[in-house]
């Protein structure tokens, strides 16, 4: 849950609370086409965000792919191990490329 909150918070939104680097850059991709370049940026921004999280020990797998029938969404699947655990955790979420407001 902590990772999902970090992914859904635009970087810099908590600067006023003393956390200028908290969040992710995934929101910067809104309005971009769902092409290979954008999906590579999703991958890069996801890895950047995972590196910020002190509870993440190792990322075993990261997949970024189109969502069937949803050209405005990218599916992110991550398999990682928390810092103090040998048991991997799976995390799956979508990145919306269309502004929903």
């Amino acid at each position: 849950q902590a990772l999902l909150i970090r992914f859904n918070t635009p970087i810099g939104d908590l600067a006023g609370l003393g956390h200028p680097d908290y969040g992710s850059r995934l929101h910067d991709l809104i309005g971009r086409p769902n092409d290979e370049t954008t999906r590579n940026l999703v991958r890069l921004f996801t890895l950047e965000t995972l590196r910020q999280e002190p509870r993440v020990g190792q990322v075993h797998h990261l997949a970024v792919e189109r969502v069937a029938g949803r050209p405005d969404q990218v599916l992110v699947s991550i398999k990682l191990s928390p810092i103090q655990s040998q048991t991997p955790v799976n995390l799956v979420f979508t990145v919306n490329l269309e502004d929903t407001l």
Side-chain angles (χ1 to χ4, degrees):
Q1 186 175 5
L3 278 172
L4 289 176
I5 292 169
R6 188 179 287 266
F7 283 119
N8 286 317
T9 302
I11 200 158
D13 268 13
L14 299 182
L17 299 174
H19 303 284
D21 298 325
Y22 183 90
S24 78
R25 296 195 299 161
L26 291 173
H27 289 81
D28 293 344
L29 301 175
I30 291 173
R32 291 187 58 105
N34 190 349
D35 58 14
E36 186 175 351
T37 300
T38 299
R39 289 190 300 278
N40 282 335
L41 286 170
V42 170
R43 175 186 269 299
L44 173 66
F45 295 169
T46 298
L47 288 171
E48 285 178 351
T49 303
L50 289 170
R51 272 189 244 117
Q52 293 175 8
E53 179 56 56
R55 293 170 278 198
V56 172
Q58 182 178 6
V59 177
H60 303 286
H61 178 75
L62 171 61
V64 177
E65 50 198 10
R66 294 175 190 251
V67 176
R70 295 297 309 261
D72 60 329
Q73 289 187 351
V74 176
L75 183 69
V76 179
S77 303
I78 306 167
K79 183 176 182 179
L80 59 88
S81 292
I83 194 82
Q84 296 184 7
S85 176
Q86 298 283 331
T87 306
V89 174
N90 292 312
L91 178 65
V92 178
F93 62 94
T94 57
V95 175
N96 292 313
L97 301 174
E98 182 178 278
D99 192 359
T100 57
L101 294 178

